[in-house]
PDB file of all heavy atoms in Angstrom:
ATOM      1  N   PHE A   1      30.719  72.470 -13.077  1.00 97.00           N
ATOM      2  CA  PHE A   1      30.058  73.708 -13.494  1.00 97.00           C
ATOM      3  C   PHE A   1      28.712  73.457 -14.178  1.00 97.00           C
ATOM      4  O   PHE A   1      27.966  74.399 -14.435  1.00 97.00           O
ATOM      5  CB  PHE A   1      30.976  74.548 -14.391  1.00 97.00           C
ATOM      6  CG  PHE A   1      31.294  73.930 -15.727  1.00 97.00           C
ATOM      7  CD1 PHE A   1      30.474  74.159 -16.815  1.00 97.00           C
ATOM      8  CD2 PHE A   1      32.430  73.143 -15.882  1.00 97.00           C
ATOM      9  CE1 PHE A   1      30.772  73.598 -18.051  1.00 97.00           C
ATOM     10  CE2 PHE A   1      32.734  72.581 -17.111  1.00 97.00           C
ATOM     11  CZ  PHE A   1      31.901  72.811 -18.202  1.00 97.00           C
ATOM     12  N   LYS A   2      28.366  72.202 -14.433  1.00 97.00           N
ATOM     13  CA  LYS A   2      27.081  71.866 -15.039  1.00 97.00           C
ATOM     14  C   LYS A   2      26.012  71.511 -14.003  1.00 97.00           C
ATOM     15  O   LYS A   2      24.869  71.233 -14.354  1.00 97.00           O
ATOM     16  CB  LYS A   2      27.256  70.687 -16.007  1.00 97.00           C
ATOM     17  CG  LYS A   2      27.967  71.060 -17.292  1.00 97.00           C
ATOM     18  CD  LYS A   2      27.067  71.982 -18.086  1.00 97.00           C
ATOM     19  CE  LYS A   2      27.493  72.134 -19.510  1.00 97.00           C
ATOM     20  NZ  LYS A   2      26.479  72.886 -20.270  1.00 97.00           N
ATOM     21  N   LEU A   3      26.365  71.524 -12.723  1.00 97.00           N
ATOM     22  CA  LEU A   3      25.434  71.096 -11.673  1.00 97.00           C
ATOM     23  C   LEU A   3      24.135  71.889 -11.671  1.00 97.00           C
ATOM     24  O   LEU A   3      23.048  71.318 -11.627  1.00 97.00           O
ATOM     25  CB  LEU A   3      26.110  71.170 -10.303  1.00 97.00           C
ATOM     26  CG  LEU A   3      25.209  70.834  -9.113  1.00 97.00           C
ATOM     27  CD1 LEU A   3      24.655  69.420  -9.225  1.00 97.00           C
ATOM     28  CD2 LEU A   3      25.962  71.022  -7.810  1.00 97.00           C
ATOM     29  N   ASP A   4      24.203  73.210 -11.704  1.00 97.00           N
ATOM     30  CA  ASP A   4      22.984  74.021 -11.640  1.00 97.00           C
ATOM     31  C   ASP A   4      22.070  73.756 -12.830  1.00 97.00           C
ATOM     32  O   ASP A   4      20.848  73.667 -12.673  1.00 97.00           O
ATOM     33  CB  ASP A   4      23.324  75.507 -11.555  1.00 97.00           C
ATOM     34  CG  ASP A   4      23.837  75.900 -10.188  1.00 97.00           C
ATOM     35  OD1 ASP A   4      23.520  75.205  -9.204  1.00 97.00           O
ATOM     36  OD2 ASP A   4      24.572  76.910 -10.095  1.00 97.00           O
ATOM     37  N   GLU A   5      22.648  73.608 -14.017  1.00 97.00           N
ATOM     38  CA  GLU A   5      21.839  73.340 -15.202  1.00 97.00           C
ATOM     39  C   GLU A   5      21.136  71.984 -15.096  1.00 97.00           C
ATOM     40  O   GLU A   5      19.964  71.849 -15.456  1.00 97.00           O
ATOM     41  CB  GLU A   5      22.712  73.368 -16.459  1.00 97.00           C
ATOM     42  CG  GLU A   5      23.224  74.748 -16.808  1.00 97.00           C
ATOM     43  CD  GLU A   5      24.172  74.710 -17.987  1.00 97.00           C
ATOM     44  OE1 GLU A   5      23.797  74.136 -19.037  1.00 97.00           O
ATOM     45  OE2 GLU A   5      25.284  75.254 -17.863  1.00 97.00           O
ATOM     46  N   VAL A   6      21.844  70.979 -14.593  1.00 97.00           N
ATOM     47  CA  VAL A   6      21.256  69.650 -14.442  1.00 97.00           C
ATOM     48  C   VAL A   6      20.159  69.680 -13.381  1.00 97.00           C
ATOM     49  O   VAL A   6      19.078  69.114 -13.566  1.00 97.00           O
ATOM     50  CB  VAL A   6      22.340  68.599 -14.110  1.00 97.00           C
ATOM     51  CG1 VAL A   6      21.715  67.270 -13.731  1.00 97.00           C
ATOM     52  CG2 VAL A   6      23.289  68.434 -15.285  1.00 97.00           C
ATOM     53  N   ARG A   7      20.409  70.358 -12.274  1.00 97.00           N
ATOM     54  CA  ARG A   7      19.402  70.451 -11.216  1.00 97.00           C
ATOM     55  C   ARG A   7      18.129  71.111 -11.732  1.00 97.00           C
ATOM     56  O   ARG A   7      17.021  70.647 -11.474  1.00 97.00           O
ATOM     57  CB  ARG A   7      19.957  71.236 -10.023  1.00 97.00           C
ATOM     58  CG  ARG A   7      18.988  71.307  -8.843  1.00 97.00           C
ATOM     59  CD  ARG A   7      19.484  72.222  -7.741  1.00 97.00           C
ATOM     60  NE  ARG A   7      19.836  73.556  -8.205  1.00 97.00           N
ATOM     61  CZ  ARG A   7      18.956  74.525  -8.484  1.00 97.00           C
ATOM     62  NH1 ARG A   7      17.670  74.304  -8.350  1.00 97.00           N
ATOM     63  NH2 ARG A   7      19.370  75.704  -8.895  1.00 97.00           N
ATOM     64  N   GLU A   8      18.288  72.192 -12.497  1.00 97.00           N
ATOM     65  CA  GLU A   8      17.121  72.882 -13.055  1.00 97.00           C
ATOM     66  C   GLU A   8      16.377  71.999 -14.051  1.00 97.00           C
ATOM     67  O   GLU A   8      15.142  71.960 -14.059  1.00 97.00           O
ATOM     68  CB  GLU A   8      17.555  74.187 -13.732  1.00 97.00           C
ATOM     69  CG  GLU A   8      17.985  75.254 -12.735  1.00 97.00           C
ATOM     70  CD  GLU A   8      18.596  76.473 -13.408  1.00 97.00           C
ATOM     71  OE1 GLU A   8      18.451  76.625 -14.645  1.00 97.00           O
ATOM     72  OE2 GLU A   8      19.225  77.271 -12.696  1.00 97.00           O
ATOM     73  N   ALA A   9      17.111  71.265 -14.886  1.00 97.00           N
ATOM     74  CA  ALA A   9      16.477  70.381 -15.868  1.00 97.00           C
ATOM     75  C   ALA A   9      15.690  69.274 -15.177  1.00 97.00           C
ATOM     76  O   ALA A   9      14.579  68.937 -15.599  1.00 97.00           O
ATOM     77  CB  ALA A   9      17.535  69.792 -16.791  1.00 97.00           C
ATOM     78  N   LEU A  10      16.238  68.720 -14.104  1.00 97.00           N
ATOM     79  CA  LEU A  10      15.532  67.678 -13.360  1.00 97.00           C
ATOM     80  C   LEU A  10      14.307  68.242 -12.650  1.00 97.00           C
ATOM     81  O   LEU A  10      13.264  67.611 -12.594  1.00 97.00           O
ATOM     82  CB  LEU A  10      16.476  67.003 -12.363  1.00 97.00           C
ATOM     83  CG  LEU A  10      17.546  66.112 -12.988  1.00 97.00           C
ATOM     84  CD1 LEU A  10      18.564  65.688 -11.938  1.00 97.00           C
ATOM     85  CD2 LEU A  10      16.924  64.903 -13.666  1.00 97.00           C
ATOM     86  N   SER A  11      14.438  69.442 -12.122  1.00 96.00           N
ATOM     87  CA  SER A  11      13.311  70.090 -11.454  1.00 96.00           C
ATOM     88  C   SER A  11      12.157  70.323 -12.435  1.00 96.00           C
ATOM     89  O   SER A  11      10.989  70.141 -12.085  1.00 96.00           O
ATOM     90  CB  SER A  11      13.769  71.410 -10.843  1.00 96.00           C
ATOM     91  OG  SER A  11      12.709  72.060 -10.209  1.00 96.00           O
ATOM     92  N   GLU A  12      12.488  70.696 -13.663  1.00 96.00           N
ATOM     93  CA  GLU A  12      11.458  70.958 -14.671  1.00 96.00           C
ATOM     94  C   GLU A  12      10.648  69.710 -15.027  1.00 96.00           C
ATOM     95  O   GLU A  12       9.483  69.822 -15.412  1.00 96.00           O
ATOM     96  CB  GLU A  12      12.098  71.530 -15.943  1.00 96.00           C
ATOM     97  CG  GLU A  12      12.543  72.969 -15.791  1.00 96.00           C
ATOM     98  CD  GLU A  12      13.287  73.487 -17.014  1.00 96.00           C
ATOM     99  OE1 GLU A  12      13.313  72.785 -18.055  1.00 96.00           O
ATOM    100  OE2 GLU A  12      13.849  74.592 -16.916  1.00 96.00           O
ATOM    101  N   ILE A  13      11.248  68.530 -14.890  1.00 96.00           N
ATOM    102  CA  ILE A  13      10.501  67.304 -15.206  1.00 96.00           C
ATOM    103  C   ILE A  13       9.871  66.674 -13.965  1.00 96.00           C
ATOM    104  O   ILE A  13       9.328  65.586 -14.030  1.00 96.00           O
ATOM    105  CB  ILE A  13      11.382  66.271 -15.944  1.00 96.00           C
ATOM    106  CG1 ILE A  13      12.538  65.790 -15.071  1.00 96.00           C
ATOM    107  CG2 ILE A  13      11.866  66.827 -17.267  1.00 96.00           C
ATOM    108  CD1 ILE A  13      13.213  64.543 -15.582  1.00 96.00           C
ATOM    109  N   GLY A  14       9.987  67.350 -12.820  1.00 94.00           N
ATOM    110  CA  GLY A  14       9.293  66.893 -11.622  1.00 94.00           C
ATOM    111  C   GLY A  14      10.119  66.099 -10.631  1.00 94.00           C
ATOM    112  O   GLY A  14       9.559  65.537  -9.692  1.00 94.00           O
ATOM    113  N   VAL A  15      11.424  66.048 -10.808  1.00 93.00           N
ATOM    114  CA  VAL A  15      12.282  65.371  -9.828  1.00 93.00           C
ATOM    115  C   VAL A  15      12.422  66.316  -8.637  1.00 93.00           C
ATOM    116  O   VAL A  15      12.932  67.426  -8.767  1.00 93.00           O
ATOM    117  CB  VAL A  15      13.667  65.025 -10.419  1.00 93.00           C
ATOM    118  CG1 VAL A  15      14.587  64.467  -9.353  1.00 93.00           C
ATOM    119  CG2 VAL A  15      13.511  64.039 -11.562  1.00 93.00           C
ATOM    120  N   THR A  16      11.953  65.862  -7.470  1.00 87.00           N
ATOM    121  CA  THR A  16      11.877  66.765  -6.316  1.00 87.00           C
ATOM    122  C   THR A  16      13.058  66.647  -5.362  1.00 87.00           C
ATOM    123  O   THR A  16      13.254  67.523  -4.537  1.00 87.00           O
ATOM    124  CB  THR A  16      10.585  66.506  -5.522  1.00 87.00           C
ATOM    125  OG1 THR A  16      10.555  65.131  -5.144  1.00 87.00           O
ATOM    126  CG2 THR A  16       9.362  66.841  -6.353  1.00 87.00           C
ATOM    127  N   GLY A  17      13.818  65.587  -5.445  1.00 91.00           N
ATOM    128  CA  GLY A  17      14.929  65.444  -4.516  1.00 91.00           C
ATOM    129  C   GLY A  17      16.123  64.812  -5.184  1.00 91.00           C
ATOM    130  O   GLY A  17      15.979  63.992  -6.095  1.00 91.00           O
ATOM    131  N   LEU A  18      17.289  65.220  -4.761  1.00 95.00           N
ATOM    132  CA  LEU A  18      18.510  64.616  -5.278  1.00 95.00           C
ATOM    133  C   LEU A  18      19.613  64.763  -4.255  1.00 95.00           C
ATOM    134  O   LEU A  18      19.551  65.594  -3.363  1.00 95.00           O
ATOM    135  CB  LEU A  18      18.918  65.214  -6.627  1.00 95.00           C
ATOM    136  CG  LEU A  18      19.133  66.725  -6.742  1.00 95.00           C
ATOM    137  CD1 LEU A  18      20.592  67.072  -6.523  1.00 95.00           C
ATOM    138  CD2 LEU A  18      18.728  67.167  -8.124  1.00 95.00           C
ATOM    139  N   THR A  19      20.624  63.937  -4.401  1.00 97.00           N
ATOM    140  CA  THR A  19      21.798  63.991  -3.538  1.00 97.00           C
ATOM    141  C   THR A  19      22.992  64.330  -4.409  1.00 97.00           C
ATOM    142  O   THR A  19      23.156  63.768  -5.490  1.00 97.00           O
ATOM    143  CB  THR A  19      22.036  62.629  -2.847  1.00 97.00           C
ATOM    144  OG1 THR A  19      20.880  62.312  -2.078  1.00 97.00           O
ATOM    145  CG2 THR A  19      23.250  62.678  -1.943  1.00 97.00           C
ATOM    146  N   VAL A  20      23.820  65.251  -3.950  1.00 98.00           N
ATOM    147  CA  VAL A  20      24.996  65.683  -4.695  1.00 98.00           C
ATOM    148  C   VAL A  20      26.234  65.449  -3.844  1.00 98.00           C
ATOM    149  O   VAL A  20      26.263  65.802  -2.666  1.00 98.00           O
ATOM    150  CB  VAL A  20      24.892  67.179  -5.064  1.00 98.00           C
ATOM    151  CG1 VAL A  20      26.160  67.655  -5.764  1.00 98.00           C
ATOM    152  CG2 VAL A  20      23.674  67.434  -5.934  1.00 98.00           C
ATOM    153  N   THR A  21      27.240  64.846  -4.460  1.00 98.00           N
ATOM    154  CA  THR A  21      28.505  64.583  -3.782  1.00 98.00           C
ATOM    155  C   THR A  21      29.642  65.073  -4.661  1.00 98.00           C
ATOM    156  O   THR A  21      29.640  64.829  -5.870  1.00 98.00           O
ATOM    157  CB  THR A  21      28.692  63.059  -3.549  1.00 98.00           C
ATOM    158  OG1 THR A  21      27.519  62.525  -2.948  1.00 98.00           O
ATOM    159  CG2 THR A  21      29.887  62.783  -2.671  1.00 98.00           C
ATOM    160  N   GLU A  22      30.604  65.769  -4.054  1.00 97.00           N
ATOM    161  CA  GLU A  22      31.805  66.147  -4.795  1.00 97.00           C
ATOM    162  C   GLU A  22      32.734  64.943  -4.811  1.00 97.00           C
ATOM    163  O   GLU A  22      33.059  64.390  -3.764  1.00 97.00           O
ATOM    164  CB  GLU A  22      32.487  67.340  -4.133  1.00 97.00           C
ATOM    165  CG  GLU A  22      31.695  68.621  -4.246  1.00 97.00           C
ATOM    166  CD  GLU A  22      32.393  69.809  -3.620  1.00 97.00           C
ATOM    167  OE1 GLU A  22      33.592  69.710  -3.288  1.00 97.00           O
ATOM    168  OE2 GLU A  22      31.734  70.843  -3.468  1.00 97.00           O
ATOM    169  N   VAL A  23      33.138  64.533  -6.016  1.00 96.00           N
ATOM    170  CA  VAL A  23      33.994  63.357  -6.170  1.00 96.00           C
ATOM    171  C   VAL A  23      35.166  63.704  -7.082  1.00 96.00           C
ATOM    172  O   VAL A  23      35.196  64.761  -7.698  1.00 96.00           O
ATOM    173  CB  VAL A  23      33.205  62.154  -6.747  1.00 96.00           C
ATOM    174  CG1 VAL A  23      32.123  61.700  -5.778  1.00 96.00           C
ATOM    175  CG2 VAL A  23      32.609  62.481  -8.101  1.00 96.00           C
ATOM    176  N   LYS A  24      36.126  62.796  -7.151  1.00 90.00           N
ATOM    177  CA  LYS A  24      37.248  62.952  -8.076  1.00 90.00           C
ATOM    178  C   LYS A  24      37.395  61.654  -8.847  1.00 90.00           C
ATOM    179  O   LYS A  24      37.137  60.581  -8.318  1.00 90.00           O
ATOM    180  CB  LYS A  24      38.548  63.243  -7.321  1.00 90.00           C
ATOM    181  CG  LYS A  24      38.567  64.604  -6.678  1.00 90.00           C
ATOM    182  CD  LYS A  24      39.903  64.871  -6.035  1.00 90.00           C
ATOM    183  CE  LYS A  24      39.895  66.257  -5.430  1.00 90.00           C
ATOM    184  NZ  LYS A  24      41.214  66.644  -4.971  1.00 90.00           N
ATOM    185  N   GLY A  25      37.823  61.765 -10.082  1.00 85.00           N
ATOM    186  CA  GLY A  25      38.018  60.559 -10.870  1.00 85.00           C
ATOM    187  C   GLY A  25      38.534  60.889 -12.250  1.00 85.00           C
ATOM    188  O   GLY A  25      38.812  62.039 -12.575  1.00 85.00           O
ATOM    189  N   PHE A  26      38.666  59.854 -13.059  1.00 79.00           N
ATOM    190  CA  PHE A  26      39.052  60.045 -14.446  1.00 79.00           C
ATOM    191  C   PHE A  26      38.540  58.887 -15.274  1.00 79.00           C
ATOM    192  O   PHE A  26      38.276  57.812 -14.765  1.00 79.00           O
ATOM    193  CB  PHE A  26      40.570  60.195 -14.607  1.00 79.00           C
ATOM    194  CG  PHE A  26      41.339  58.942 -14.294  1.00 79.00           C
ATOM    195  CD1 PHE A  26      41.609  58.012 -15.284  1.00 79.00           C
ATOM    196  CD2 PHE A  26      41.793  58.704 -13.005  1.00 79.00           C
ATOM    197  CE1 PHE A  26      42.319  56.854 -14.997  1.00 79.00           C
ATOM    198  CE2 PHE A  26      42.503  57.562 -12.706  1.00 79.00           C
ATOM    199  CZ  PHE A  26      42.764  56.629 -13.702  1.00 79.00           C
ATOM    200  N   GLY A  27      38.382  59.152 -16.542  1.00 78.00           N
ATOM    201  CA  GLY A  27      37.986  58.126 -17.495  1.00 78.00           C
ATOM    202  C   GLY A  27      39.025  58.069 -18.583  1.00 78.00           C
ATOM    203  O   GLY A  27      40.212  57.957 -18.314  1.00 78.00           O
ATOM    204  N   ARG A  28      38.586  58.234 -19.795  1.00 72.00           N
ATOM    205  CA  ARG A  28      39.505  58.163 -20.927  1.00 72.00           C
ATOM    206  C   ARG A  28      40.516  59.299 -20.947  1.00 72.00           C
ATOM    207  O   ARG A  28      41.594  59.163 -21.490  1.00 72.00           O
ATOM    208  CB  ARG A  28      38.725  58.169 -22.240  1.00 72.00           C
ATOM    209  CG  ARG A  28      38.008  56.878 -22.456  1.00 72.00           C
ATOM    210  CD  ARG A  28      37.396  56.845 -23.831  1.00 72.00           C
ATOM    211  NE  ARG A  28      36.709  55.581 -24.014  1.00 72.00           N
ATOM    212  CZ  ARG A  28      35.728  55.411 -24.855  1.00 72.00           C
ATOM    213  NH1 ARG A  28      35.314  56.401 -25.598  1.00 72.00           N
ATOM    214  NH2 ARG A  28      35.149  54.230 -24.956  1.00 72.00           N
ATOM    215  N   GLN A  29      40.153  60.454 -20.341  1.00 67.00           N
ATOM    216  CA  GLN A  29      41.089  61.577 -20.410  1.00 67.00           C
ATOM    217  C   GLN A  29      42.305  61.372 -19.518  1.00 67.00           C
ATOM    218  O   GLN A  29      43.310  62.036 -19.683  1.00 67.00           O
ATOM    219  CB  GLN A  29      40.389  62.896 -20.087  1.00 67.00           C
ATOM    220  CG  GLN A  29      40.139  63.115 -18.611  1.00 67.00           C
ATOM    221  CD  GLN A  29      38.692  63.012 -18.230  1.00 67.00           C
ATOM    222  OE1 GLN A  29      37.977  62.127 -18.651  1.00 67.00           O
ATOM    223  NE2 GLN A  29      38.233  63.917 -17.405  1.00 67.00           N
TER     224      GLN A  29
END
């Protein structure tokens, strides 16, 4: 659910391209 916010933040600093992949995983949780 944070994808759009991150994409907008990167766009604001001039990052013009990115690749997004849906993944599954876990860390400490």
Side-chain angles (χ1 to χ4, degrees):
F1 66 89
K2 287 292 195 172
L3 176 60
D4 286 336
E5 291 175 52
V6 171
R7 183 187 53 78
E8 289 172 14
L10 289 170
S11 179
E12 286 175 9
I13 64 165
V15 174
T16 56
L18 56 93
T19 301
V20 176
T21 310
E22 291 182 12
V23 295
K24 291 184 179 188
F26 68 90
R28 288 187 180 156
Q29 77 251 44

